Amino acid sequence: MKNVIWFLLLAAVAVLVALLVGDNQAVVSVFWAPWRIDMSLNLVLIGLLLGFVLLHLALRGIALLRGLPQRAQRWRLRQQEKAVYVGLLEALIQQMAGRFVRAQTSAEQALQALERMPAATLSHQSRWLLLARLLLAESAHSLGNAGRRDAVIEAALAEPASDAATVREAALLRASAWAIKARDPVQARAWWQQLPQGAARRIQALRLRLKLAQLEQDSPVAIDTVRQLRKHKAFSTVAAASLLQTLVSEALQQTHDAEQLLRVWKGLDARERADAGLALQFLRQWVRLRPRGEGAADGVAGAADAALGHLPEGQRWRDEALQTLMGAYTQLDGAAQYRCIRVLQDLLPELGAGWLAQLDAAQAARPADAGLQYLAGQALMQRQLWGKANQMLQQASRSLQDAALRRRAWRALAQLAEQRGDEAAAQQAWKQAALCEAAGL
């Protein structure tokens, strides 16, 4: 349709020209003394038109001749720009293909081409320059040339590049990752701390922060970082929970005094403190690090203090962990239940009457549970209820699968037999305890 319209317009112009000049009798006379020249008006018009066209072409030719140096310069710049793009693309492809020497060579060629260019020749030239150096450093790292890698990165970051913030952040993240892989936490932190505040909150930066905290064995920072990554959905729910449990367990194990232990435990949120495994870990550390003056009060005094809210802060956190552990006891596997029993036995001297009543209720609800029978027997023995304690421990000693707890049960039975003067029963119980110890070894 477009071609048809153009054809119609051309035909209309041809008709118009034919009507105007086809029967034109006008004459143009030019007097140039002593001559007179008569010319047809049509010829004059055609001559003027041809003259205008020739003049225009001559001016265009002169302009093209005068612009040849600029065009040659632009051509050279385009060739240099093409060399930069090809070199960077080739370096990236070779790096991904594992050909690190070729990648390094291509990155060097691109970097040299960029350094030969005048400033502001390319659009975002500083970005291309930083990218070339980053690829060169990546290739040097892959080849194990740490000295050159660090020199290239430092040279790249030393140059001001306000329009290349993203590439600078990438260089800092890569440099930090290299230092972490080399197990150099000081250098890794130096690189990581140069990140802008916004970049430090990104998922990749948080992952590096987590690895750095684990390298420095800074469990509180690692726990906080995992929480942030979980908020960003960088981990699945199951993976985040497992990693958090591992980190919290490590943080609890690394504590050296009760104050540090409480500080770590208070730093957890309610959902984490409600985890039975972490509660068990906390109580095991509590038993190991607790102040020796705490928790030796008798049951009546402990119950009174609990009612009045006068328990020390540590005991309040201990009671919360105990409540969590006892509430989840039935959901634990066999090994975890026996660990729970051992911890509760160590805590028996500092538990009040209220806790012992809960223990009795738990044992009554599960009368066949050997672990609860053993624990109830130890509690009754502590309260000097010898007969009932002996009955509970006798039942537990026949059913316990854990050698350490079975040995403890026989030792308690031996002590009870000695107390009532039954030397034969005491010797038999000590013998069974020795056999359990030998079996445990």
Side-chain angles (χ1 to χ4, degrees):
M1 187 66 185
K2 194 174 183 180
N3 294 332
V4 172
I5 293 174
W6 276 108
F7 179 77
L8 292 175
L9 287 175
L10 185 61
V13 171
V15 170
L16 182 62
V17 171
L19 290 175
L20 290 176
V21 302
D23 194 21
N24 190 357
Q25 302 296 327
V27 175
V28 176
S29 298
V30 178
F31 294 92
W32 189 279
W35 297 282
R36 170 183 172 180
I37 304 173
D38 294 327
M39 293 180 292
S40 170
L41 178 61
N42 293 341
L43 179 62
V44 172
L45 293 175
I46 293 172
L48 290 174
L49 180 61
L50 291 175
F52 173 78
V53 171
L54 291 175
L55 179 62
H56 175 72
L57 293 176
L59 293 176
R60 285 291 304 275
I62 294 172
L64 289 174
L65 288 174
R66 294 181 62 183
L68 279 178
Q70 290 82 4
R71 292 182 64 187
Q73 184 179 7
R74 286 197 300 270
W75 181 84
R76 287 192 297 269
L77 288 177
R78 280 198 299 270
Q79 293 301 112
Q80 292 177 0
E81 182 178 352
K82 181 180 178 181
V84 169
Y85 296 154
V86 170
L88 292 177
L89 181 61
E90 186 69 17
L92 183 59
I93 292 174
Q94 298 294 350
Q95 179 71 28
M96 295 175 66
R99 296 177 175 178
F100 305 125
V101 175
R102 295 186 182 184
Q104 181 175 256
T105 302
S106 299
E108 285 176 344
Q109 293 174 353
L111 182 61
Q112 292 170 2
L114 282 166
E115 289 174 342
R116 286 195 301 266
M117 287 184 178
T121 302
L122 293 178
S123 178
H124 305 293
Q125 185 168 342
S126 56
R127 288 191 178 191
W128 294 113
L129 191 59
L130 276 174
L131 181 59
R133 286 188 169 133
L134 181 58
L135 287 173
L136 181 57
E138 188 78 41
S139 302
H141 172 73
S142 300
L143 291 171
N145 192 344
R148 187 177 189 187
R149 176 200 69 194
D150 294 340
V152 172
I153 285 293
E154 289 174 0
L157 297 177
E159 294 185 3
S162 58
D163 63 335
T166 303
V167 184
R168 287 174 59 84
E169 291 163 8
L172 288 170
L173 287 172
R174 290 303 299 152
S176 180
W178 294 330
I180 290 173
K181 189 174 181 179
R183 305 191 67 80
D184 186 355
V186 176
Q187 186 62 48
R189 180 164 292 280
W191 290 123
W192 194 87
Q193 287 179 341
Q194 295 184 44
L195 286 170
Q197 187 175 5
R201 292 195 297 266
R202 295 173 189 160
I203 290 178
Q204 182 61 22
L206 290 174
R207 290 182 186 274
L208 289 177
R209 184 189 180 198
L210 173 59
K211 293 180 180 179
L212 178 59
Q214 290 176 313
L215 183 62
E216 294 176 331
Q217 295 185 347
D218 190 349
S219 297
V221 173
I223 292 169
D224 180 66
T225 306
V226 172
R227 288 173 181 158
Q228 294 183 51
L229 287 168
R230 182 177 61 186
K231 187 183 301 183
H232 287 297
K233 301 187 183 304
F235 293 129
S236 65
T237 305
V238 176
S242 176
L243 184 56
L244 266 176
Q245 187 173 21
T246 302
L247 290 173
V248 172
S249 180
E250 290 177 357
L252 293 173
Q253 290 176 2
Q254 291 167 5
T255 53
H256 303 291
D257 53 59
E259 182 180 353
Q260 185 183 11
L261 175 65
L262 290 176
R263 186 164 56 249
V264 172
W265 186 250
K266 289 188 295 185
L268 306 181
D269 57 32
R271 180 173 52 181
E272 293 162 357
R273 289 197 299 271
D275 185 276
L278 296 180
L280 177 59
Q281 185 69 33
F282 167 73
L283 290 174
R284 293 175 70 180
Q285 286 295 99
W286 171 266
V287 170
R288 187 172 67 89
L289 302 173
R290 63 187 169 183
R292 294 308 173 189
E294 289 189 16
D298 57 46
V300 178
D305 286 344
L308 295 173
H310 292 161
L311 282 174
E313 183 184 20
Q315 293 187 23
R316 289 200 296 270
W317 290 111
R318 178 208 66 189
D319 289 348
E320 178 186 339
L322 271 173
Q323 195 67 49
T324 298
L325 191 58
M326 293 189 68
Y329 175 80
T330 58
Q331 301 172 6
L332 300 175
D333 58 25
Q337 285 184 348
Y338 288 133
R339 287 196 297 270
C340 176
I341 293 298
R342 284 194 290 269
V343 169
L344 290 175
Q345 180 187 357
D346 293 333
L347 289 171
L348 281 177
E350 61 186 76
L351 296 183
W355 283 109
L356 295 176
Q358 288 192 39
L359 179 59
D360 289 339
Q363 196 278 324
R366 295 171 59 89
D369 191 307
L372 292 178
Q373 288 175 352
Y374 166 80
L375 192 60
Q378 291 285 359
L380 291 168
M381 183 176 173
Q382 177 185 320
R383 295 289 173 171
Q384 299 182 359
L385 300 174
W386 316 119
K388 196 171 180 181
N390 186 76
Q391 178 185 356
M392 286 289 182
L393 290 171
Q394 285 284 359
Q395 294 175 2
S397 64
R398 291 191 293 268
S399 304
L400 283 171
Q401 301 297 320
D402 184 78
L405 288 181
R406 194 163 61 250
R407 182 180 67 250
R408 290 187 186 184
W410 282 113
R411 289 173 60 185
L413 287 170
Q415 293 171 4
L416 288 173
E418 288 176 349
Q419 187 168 7
R420 66 175 182 265
D422 190 348
E423 293 298 329
Q427 290 181 7
Q428 181 64 25
W430 284 118
K431 180 180 179 181
Q432 292 295 330
L435 291 174
C436 291
E437 185 172 2
L441 294 177

